[in-house]
Amino acid sequence: MQTYAQTNILDAVRKVIGDQRPEACYQCMKCTSGCPAAKVSDYRPHMMVILTKAGLAEEVMQSGIIWACSMCLKCKEYCPQDVAPFDVVTALKNVAISRGYKPPEMLVGMANNVLDYGYIIDKPMTITTTEFEEVSRDTLGLPKLAHPKDMEKFRRIASSFGYRRLS
Amino acid sequence: MKMYLYLGCTTPAKQYAYELSLRAVFPRLGIELVDMPDSNCCGTPLMGVNRFYNVYAPARLMAIAEAGGLDIVAPCNGCHLALSEAAFMLRERRHLLEQVNSLLKEEGLKYTGKVKVYHPVEVLYGLVGVEKISSAISNKLPPLKFACHPGCHLVRPSHIGRPEKRDGKLKLEALTEAIGLQTRDHPEKYECCGAAMIPYSTDAAIKTVAMRIKRFVEGGFDGVTTLCPYCFDMIDGKQDAAKTITGDRSLSIPTFYYTQLLGLAMGISERELGLNLNMSPVGSVLEKLRR
Amino acid sequence: MVEEPKVGVYVCHCGVNIAGVVNVKAVVEYASTLPNVVVAKDYPFMCSDPGQNLIIEDIKTKGLNRIVVASCSPRMHEPTFRKALERAGLNPYLLEMANIREHCSWVHEKQPQEATEKAKELVEAAVAKARMLKPIETVKMPVVKRALVIGGGIAGIRAALDIANSGFEVYLVEKRPSIGGNMARLDKTFPTLDCSQCILTPLMVEVAQHPNIKLLTYSEVQSIDGSVGNFTVKILKKPRYVNEDLCTGCGICEQKCPYTVPSEFNLGLGKRKVIYFEFPQAVPLKPVIDRDNCVYFKRGTCRACERFCPAKAIDFNQQPKEITINVGAIVLATGYGLYDVKTKMPEYRYGLSKNVITGLELERLTSATGPTKGAILRPSDNREPKNVAIILCVGSRDEKHLDYCCRVGCVAGIKHAYYIVSHIPDAKVTICYTDIRAFGKGYEDFYGRIRSLDNVQFIRGRPMEIFEDANGSLYFDVFDQNTNRLIRLNPDLVVLETGIVPDPSFEELAKVLKCSRGPDGFALELHPKLRPTETSVDGVFIAGVVQGPKDIPDTVAQAGAAASSAIALLARGEVESVPNVASVNQDLCSGCGVCEVVCPYTAIVLEARNGGRVAKVEATKCKGCGACAAACPSGAMTQLGFEDKQLIPQIEVLARGR
């Protein structure tokens, strides 16, 4: 039987920076009604909020459904109680990572690339044009991209606020 | 006028058409684009990984720009949002500002909030102006019907102030009309392209953009235009995938960056504007525009 | 009068409220050591009969002439103890209270010793002031036995009738051409489904025919001067360009008028003529010419109404008339308007899509006197809708719009579902709700009736937005928490139950009346539970939705309550001036005029004296706020009961420390 026991998730969510107010939600369903992710997956922002409020969010962190959010910010824009489901779920994602839950594989790569190169993509891609030509940043004569001058320092500073390599 | 060009991650790594067309068009309108000496990801795709990075990284970028004495133009909606929202939060929360500046200090940087961050839509509409654009173009385009897709982050969250409003005509629509094209309202104009769902489920993301493309097709538009590399990547680049996943063969529509269309109206070559990089079937429209 | 002060100190236990923390006996003992204190006693409940009698007895037998009561806040019982002093034959303003409850025992519960010391100090300070108190005589002023009701909706009508039935004269001022307000726009009223006009018009006629009611329609209040019991009100009667004495209400002018404009009464649906009756049951049944749209006024031509009028009642030269009246009491009943969903919530497409309408607009469609003669037809193509979505809570309970509940939306939405299915038997209705509030008498039953209908479905979910596709069809998604499904609806008509706000005319009136408004914009009552019809301005009462969202039964009840407050004032026939009025020493006054500027009640004027000018306080207008006395740079202005020589000894005790 589930109890409203795991309130430490609620505290953890509150500690993440952002405008989240899960306690204010009165479950009007407006967020889920307009949510693009809800239309194409089982993601339900109103559920994310009420589970967080009730301290029962462990399950959704585990299932990974929290990563389905499309970041459209409609829920934040229209929420009548300024709960901002988006902020709650983003905080929940941060908490999930801190508790060792893995995000989608692609994000792992992106997150680590930032620590290595400063960007989510390690190097500019080679694209095929409609005339079947292969082009890349260099061949198009675009200037070299600047990176953080001191990547070591960059990594250290990132680490200081909890942003570490994901495995 | 000189501005730092903050490209983010996606544009310089794969959305070359955007960068090419920007670099072609802006100088001809009096905006000199200066490359940033030091740059990093703004953090928007990684908000779920580390929310604080999404405040620190924009502050770092704006501090670098401040050190260089120029304002920033950020062509990606996500980047523009990251920078704008970070600026908003740093204005509102003193404690956060101190925290961020103590980190920036290690690199000899400081954030004071002086730097202004623009999106190309704001530069073109606000700084250059629709009138100047109308008079700067040599080849006014024929009045083809175009749908404008601003993208979520250009419109929301409105309480921090965004370049576009959900009400009345878009600045992007005014700009599109300034070069001779026609715009029309269409449902789901402010809806999401689905890009951020790609890491979670490509299927879900494609189904989402498919809904947008369906509305463009139903509206009888000749083409779509946008000014965000993510939205373009989805709308222009995923049409085949959309057809496959939904089984709807009608999901096809020529998609352009507005800067590409503006460049054509200014007489710039298709090559210089990267028009050979668009994946959607732009050929038919280009023919009409060439005449 | 140099009278030796003989102070009586009475310390209340207030049950355990005070005595549970403060050592009352110790305070009494301390008080008895203070100079001029003749008597010091304690009692469990000073405000009770025996408690008060204790004071009265001591005044009579021990010749006490200053009383200090150490108890609760003066806001609770100052009037009680003042009356006790009066009964004992002592001037009621020779009383000083020490608040040893709200300011002491209630806030220092965990520190009884310190609380007791503080109580002793507060009592000593009160005694210090009490010694210096002087008797104050108030002035009784006659009340003008006439009332003004602003707003001719159901609240104003009810209040006016109640006051008039008590034998007092009432002016009822309404800015629109007819009385009736928003209730006149309704088709049926919930939950009984009475025809709104049928229950309203008899009252409207009663108002028109009542010998004690002077009805001023198409009129607006311009300014209000004076104070309780004696207000001077300037009213502007706008010209109808129709001589009301000659007009018979035959309606030929309206028939013959060749021009139409959108009808305000029908909320923009349908048209009316330029010379028009607001609605068929209008009271007074006289037309009005809409000057801004009248071709005669714009171009000098037409004059069809004048030509055809059998009573020769058209008068294009009619001028606005300024009417000045004197009243003793004012009832404010200006009603409500709808939240501006068109500008503030463009995502619902109200104003963009023709088939998105408000609940009030639906009332006009279903009304027999409406633009479609009672047929529910889609505005876009005049066809019957078969699939209607009713959305509740549009703009209400929303921190980004109106944070309060509109109170009537739920049952109005349920009523609207009933309208649809009873007019169009094969129609289906979907109600998208958040929480159903069916609190009133008969409401739950009504909800149950409609809930049980097969062609009405209730979805628990608030849609975010509405879309219109390329063919003009509406669609939207809503998550139904009841069945746990995300549903797409394709209604052919959408009805929005929007939030309600005070009528726009209230904004200006509130300034004119100096009536306080709450954070939600509605008129602020003196106490939300116990004094719902009184305002911070004496003699001004509020009734109906101007005070807050409410349904018709509550509006009528509150109108009766406001009327009764007004009647009490008029029946009393006199008001007492405030005791703590400002008083100016004209010999010290330099005529700088700061006091006049600072006074919120225009109670100070500057008059000529000895070649210069000095301030003069009109005691009847003064409310004893003290602002002028505080602002006066030369010490010429004082406030009775708060003079420097009374306050300084009080401060000296408190500042002394222990």
Side-chain angles (χ1 to χ4, degrees):
Chain A
M1 178 168 110
Q2 284 188 313
T3 58
Y4 284 23
Q6 301 139 27
T7 48
N8 51 349
I9 296 178
L10 187 55
D11 288 336
V13 159
R14 288 194 172 118
K15 288 206 183 72
V16 178
I17 195 167
D19 299 325
Q20 57 272 18
R21 306 196 316 146
E23 65 276 1
C25 176
Y26 59 70
Q27 295 285 289
C28 70
M29 305 297 124
K30 205 187 224 201
C31 52
T32 302
S33 294
C35 175
K39 299 189 212 293
V40 293
S41 74
D42 290 331
Y43 182 68
R44 304 280 180 262
H46 77 276
M47 279 301 281
M48 305 295 114
V49 171
I50 197 69
L51 289 174
T52 304
K53 183 174 174 171
L56 296 168
E58 197 76 42
E59 203 179 290
V60 291
M61 289 197 286
Q62 202 159 45
S63 77
I65 187 72
I66 54 176
W67 297 97
C69 169
S70 77
M71 298 180 67
C72 76
L73 304 178
K74 282 168 70 184
C75 58
K76 183 166 180 165
E77 183 75 9
Y78 297 109
C79 174
Q81 286 292 295
D82 295 333
V83 167
F86 173 75
D87 289 60
V88 175
V89 173
T90 303
L92 213 49
K93 290 175 182 172
N94 276 243
V95 171
I97 294 214
S98 73
R99 285 160 105 93
Y101 291 112
K102 267 190 71 169
E105 200 59 50
M106 199 171 174
L107 280 181
V108 174
M110 286 157 71
N112 291 340
N113 278 341
V114 170
L115 289 175
D116 291 328
Y117 308 100
Y119 297 102
I120 57 176
I121 301 178
D122 52 0
K123 56 181 192 294
M125 291 167 64
T126 304
I127 310 281
T128 312
T129 71
T130 49
E131 289 124 8
F132 301 103
E133 227 187 296
E134 293 219 329
V135 296
S136 79
R137 196 171 177 79
D138 295 327
T139 68
L140 289 168
L142 289 166
K144 273 217 139 17
L145 202 51
H147 293 262
K149 292 209 172 76
D150 187 344
M151 277 311 305
E152 185 62 53
K153 203 179 230 178
F154 190 79
R155 271 192 290 276
R156 195 171 30 80
I157 293 173
S159 180
S160 79
F161 52 79
Y163 181 177
R164 285 179 205 97
R165 197 171 297 276
L166 297 173
S167 45
Chain B
M1 162 171 254
K2 262 174 150 172
M3 298 180 104
Y4 272 127
L5 176 62
Y6 170 61
L7 287 165
C9 304
T10 304
T11 305
K14 49 182 184 151
Q15 285 298 324
Y16 301 127
Y18 197 6
E19 192 176 341
L20 287 168
S21 55
L22 266 167
R23 288 190 190 275
V25 162
F26 270 40
R28 286 175 167 91
L29 290 170
I31 317 269
E32 192 191 322
L33 295 170
V34 178
D35 292 313
M36 291 195 70
D38 188 331
S39 166
N40 50 268
C41 170
C42 71
T44 293
L46 303 172
M47 281 177 89
V49 172
N50 191 296
R51 181 70 180 87
F52 186 81
Y53 178 83
N54 189 234
V55 179
Y56 162 75
R60 181 175 190 271
L61 292 160
M62 290 187 274
I64 290 168
E66 189 172 337
L70 295 177
D71 288 329
I72 296 176
V73 55
C76 167
N77 288 5
C79 296
H80 184 268
L81 176 62
L83 293 164
S84 305
E85 195 166 43
F88 183 84
M89 288 173 90
L90 291 166
R91 242 195 335 268
E92 303 268 300
R93 304 171 201 222
R94 158 143 246 112
H95 179 66
L96 187 60
L97 179 65
E98 284 166 8
Q99 214 181 339
V100 163
N101 269 330
S102 72
L103 293 171
L104 290 174
K105 203 163 160 194
E106 293 192 43
E107 294 189 277
L109 295 167
K110 185 165 185 201
Y111 173 85
T112 66
K114 216 167 82 174
V115 163
K116 289 203 275 285
V117 178
Y118 297 94
H119 183 274
V121 133
E122 292 177 299
V123 175
L124 292 169
Y125 187 89
L127 297 180
V128 176
V130 158
E131 306 228 323
K132 187 156 171 217
I133 288 176
S134 292
S135 46
I137 56 178
S138 51
N139 307 354
K140 188 160 162 187
L141 302 182
L144 298 176
K145 219 165 84 171
F146 261 69
C148 292
H149 178 92
C152 299
H153 297 163
L154 222 52
V155 191
R156 294 182 284 268
S158 62
H159 77 282
I160 69 168
R162 302 307 297 129
E164 298 278 20
K165 275 197 191 50
R166 185 192 184 142
D167 198 4
K169 206 180 205 124
L170 291 170
K171 290 175 181 157
L172 183 58
E173 285 171 329
L175 289 168
T176 304
E177 288 175 1
I179 57 177
L181 297 168
Q182 263 189 75
T183 64
R184 283 268 189 289
D185 201 13
H186 60 276
E188 302 176 25
K189 186 155 75 173
Y190 304 95
E191 289 297 290
C192 186
C193 68
M197 281 193 263
I198 293 265
Y200 175 76
S201 156
T202 316
D203 207 76
I206 304 286
K207 283 190 178 132
T208 303
V209 74
M211 288 189 242
R212 306 289 92 77
I213 298 170
K214 184 80 188 166
R215 293 302 173 199
F216 297 140
V217 168
E218 279 174 358
F221 289 99
D222 296 303
V224 178
T225 182
T226 185
L227 273 177
C228 171
Y230 279 107
C231 296
F232 185 87
D233 194 55
M234 292 302 290
I235 300 173
D236 170 76
K238 305 285 191 278
Q239 288 182 16
D240 283 343
K243 286 188 204 127
T244 310
I245 288 180
T246 63
D248 185 347
R249 309 307 304 172
S250 75
L251 299 177
S252 175
I253 186 140
T255 309
F256 299 85
Y257 280 108
Y258 172 74
T259 37
Q260 292 179 306
L261 296 169
L262 175 55
L264 285 175
M266 290 170 82
I268 302 173
S269 77
E270 286 176 20
R271 189 140 189 115
E272 206 183 330
L273 296 169
L275 278 158
N276 56 347
L277 299 170
N278 297 37
M279 289 174 68
S280 59
V282 293
S284 55
V285 170
L286 284 177
E287 271 196 34
K288 294 188 191 135
L289 299 180
R290 277 182 204 126
R291 286 195 214 114
Chain C
M1 170 180 46
V2 187
E3 173 190 50
E4 178 80 15
K6 286 168 145 175
V7 184
V9 176
Y10 298 88
V11 184
C12 186
H13 294 219
C14 193
V16 292
N17 276 299
I18 295 175
V21 175
V22 169
N23 182 341
V24 192
K25 298 271 183 228
V27 175
V28 165
E29 212 191 289
Y30 182 71
S32 61
T33 67
L34 300 169
N36 302 109
V37 171
V38 170
V39 159
K41 289 183 177 161
D42 63 283
Y43 192 77
F45 298 101
M46 279 314 304
C47 56
S48 65
D49 240 0
Q52 292 180 49
N53 283 333
L54 196 60
I55 299 175
I56 293 170
E57 274 309 301
D58 283 353
I59 291 172
K60 288 184 177 154
T61 58
K62 299 199 168 68
L64 300 178
N65 56 24
R66 303 284 184 279
I67 304 294
V68 168
V69 177
S71 62
C72 52
S73 161
R75 289 179 77 88
M76 287 254 17
H77 282 306
E78 189 170 59
T80 312
F81 294 117
R82 279 185 177 162
K83 286 200 190 82
L85 263 65
E86 251 183 322
R87 288 205 299 283
L90 202 59
N91 183 287
Y93 304 104
L94 295 172
L95 165 79
E96 183 65 20
M97 288 183 71
N99 183 346
I100 59 170
R101 189 180 76 172
E102 283 86 338
H103 283 188
C104 194
S105 68
W106 271 3
V107 293
H108 302 305
E109 272 178 26
K110 304 234 190 329
Q111 298 166 285
Q113 277 176 320
E114 286 92 327
T116 305
E117 292 309 303
K118 179 171 170 178
K120 288 179 188 172
E121 254 188 77
L122 290 173
V123 168
E124 188 179 345
V127 170
K129 183 173 175 201
R131 286 191 199 105
M132 306 306 294
L133 288 174
K134 296 200 298 246
I136 299 177
E137 297 304 327
T138 52
V139 172
K140 289 211 181 354
M141 302 162 303
V143 163
V144 174
K145 288 183 191 267
R146 199 181 293 122
L148 166 67
V149 175
I150 306 178
I154 183 62
I157 288 171
R158 184 72 262 161
L161 285 172
D162 285 351
I163 297 174
N165 285 336
S166 305
F168 296 107
E169 206 181 288
V170 187
Y171 278 90
L172 176 54
V173 174
E174 164 57 51
K175 70 170 193 249
R176 300 228 309 256
S178 167
I179 52 175
N182 277 317
M183 190 175 166
R185 288 185 161 121
L186 303 179
D187 175 22
K188 297 182 171 35
T189 55
F190 55 71
T192 52
L193 302 174
D194 275 309
C195 151
S196 183
Q197 287 282 4
C198 304
I199 58 177
L200 178 62
T201 39
L203 294 174
M204 287 165 58
V205 171
E206 212 186 314
V207 163
Q209 304 193 331
H210 205 295
N212 284 342
I213 298 181
K214 294 220 173 1
L215 184 55
L216 292 172
T217 53
Y218 211 47
S219 304
E220 291 184 50
V221 169
Q222 304 284 290
S223 71
I224 300 181
D225 233 336
S227 63
V228 59
N230 204 331
F231 293 104
T232 305
V233 184
K234 284 201 174 68
I235 299 165
L236 184 70
K237 191 162 164 55
K238 299 179 288 197
R240 285 178 187 254
Y241 305 105
V242 170
N243 186 328
E244 288 178 62
D245 295 323
L246 297 176
C247 171
T248 61
C250 71
I252 290 176
C253 54
E254 192 184 44
Q255 273 176 47
K256 297 295 186 189
C257 175
Y259 300 100
T260 61
V261 290
S263 161
E264 297 92 349
F265 186 73
N266 286 328
L267 303 163
L269 302 165
K271 299 214 184 293
R272 60 156 173 84
K273 294 294 178 70
V274 172
I275 184 169
Y276 67 107
F277 294 84
E278 259 215 292
F279 50 96
Q281 303 91 334
V283 168
L285 193 62
K286 311 278 177 197
V288 67
I289 296 181
D290 170 8
R291 193 207 166 99
D292 293 334
N293 287 301
C294 172
V295 158
Y296 168 74
F297 282 109
K298 292 205 287 197
R299 300 201 289 267
T301 53
C302 184
R303 304 176 85 143
C305 50
E306 192 187 36
R307 265 184 290 131
F308 287 100
C309 174
K312 305 246 176 294
I314 304 291
D315 176 9
F316 290 114
N317 295 316
Q318 200 176 70
Q319 294 300 313
K321 207 162 104 176
E322 202 183 76
I323 301 169
T324 304
I325 59 174
N326 258 102
V327 296
I330 299 176
V331 176
L332 189 57
T334 47
Y336 69 92
L338 297 184
Y339 185 57
D340 181 14
V341 172
K342 180 166 167 202
T343 340
K344 300 273 179 13
M345 303 185 89
E347 65 271 19
Y348 283 113
R349 292 193 70 85
Y350 176 69
L352 292 170
S353 288
K354 281 188 140 156
N355 296 324
V356 176
I357 63 176
T358 61
L360 209 52
E361 284 171 339
L362 181 66
E363 297 281 348
R364 291 320 302 143
L365 291 178
T366 54
S367 289
T369 59
T372 58
K373 307 256 181 300
I376 301 181
L377 302 173
R378 290 164 21 113
S380 68
D381 57 8
N382 280 324
R383 295 164 79 96
E384 274 189 334
K386 299 291 183 199
N387 214 306
V388 182
I390 299 177
I391 304 178
L392 308 186
C393 280
V394 175
S396 300
R397 301 182 63 193
D398 193 325
E399 295 291 318
K400 298 178 162 85
H401 297 282
L402 305 174
D403 63 5
Y404 52 90
C405 166
C406 79
R407 207 168 153 115
V408 296
C410 284
V411 198
I414 291 167
K415 174 183 59 158
H416 293 155
Y418 170 78
Y419 283 175
I420 310 282
V421 300
S422 62
H423 273 72
I424 311 170
D426 62 337
K428 294 223 177 326
V429 178
T430 306
I431 299 182
C432 298
Y433 71 95
T434 303
D435 293 300
I436 295 288
R437 295 171 169 191
F439 56 91
K441 208 161 182 179
Y443 293 5
E444 190 64 45
D445 195 68
F446 185 51
Y447 172 32
R449 268 180 63 195
I450 306 308
R451 193 172 65 236
S452 313
L453 296 175
D454 284 342
N455 45 1
V456 177
Q457 82 165 326
F458 281 78
I459 284 185
R460 188 183 185 276
R462 197 183 297 188
M464 187 186 271
E465 64 214 324
I466 296 177
F467 296 109
E468 184 182 306
D469 72 15
N471 303 321
S473 303
L474 301 170
Y475 67 96
F476 65 89
D477 293 329
V478 63
F479 186 78
D480 178 13
Q481 197 184 38
N482 290 336
T483 55
N484 206 33
R485 296 175 305 146
L486 187 60
I487 303 174
R488 169 155 294 186
L489 292 172
N490 297 282
D492 44 18
L493 181 69
V494 174
V495 181
L496 304 176
E497 305 297 346
T498 66
I500 62 181
V501 295
D503 185 274
S505 64
F506 177 57
E507 171 114 35
E508 199 49 49
L509 267 171
K511 288 196 199 120
V512 166
L513 280 166
K514 298 186 198 82
C515 175
S516 300
R517 302 171 73 175
D520 49 19
F522 292 94
L524 197 58
E525 63 289 300
L526 265 193
H527 189 282
K529 287 205 179 310
L530 301 176
R531 302 171 80 177
T533 60
E534 297 164 79
T535 66
S536 53
V537 184
D538 274 344
V540 173
F541 306 101
I542 45 182
V545 183
V546 72
Q547 183 262 351
K550 55 178 69 71
D551 53 11
I552 294 169
D554 287 348
T555 296
V556 171
Q558 193 175 54
S564 131
S565 299
I567 292 165
L569 177 57
L570 302 181
R572 265 201 312 275
E574 57 182 20
V575 277
E576 220 176 305
S577 66
V578 164
N580 304 109
V581 292
S583 161
V584 64
N585 180 339
Q586 291 192 331
D587 295 329
L588 291 179
C589 174
S590 66
C592 70
V594 169
C595 53
E596 188 200 24
V597 168
V598 146
C599 175
Y601 303 100
T602 60
I604 301 183
V605 290
L606 289 157
E607 57 179 17
R609 190 190 190 233
N610 298 340
R613 53 177 207 169
V614 287
K616 177 169 155 213
V617 176
E618 287 180 43
T620 53
K621 279 170 128 188
C622 174
K623 294 288 160 206
C625 74
C628 56
C632 175
S634 46
M637 189 71 77
T638 53
Q639 191 182 8
L640 299 185
F642 291 100
E643 299 174 47
D644 283 357
K645 55 173 164 315
Q646 292 162 346
L647 295 177
I648 289 176
Q650 198 174 21
I651 296 170
E652 279 178 344
V653 169
L654 296 170
R656 197 177 58 207
R658 275 176 260 129

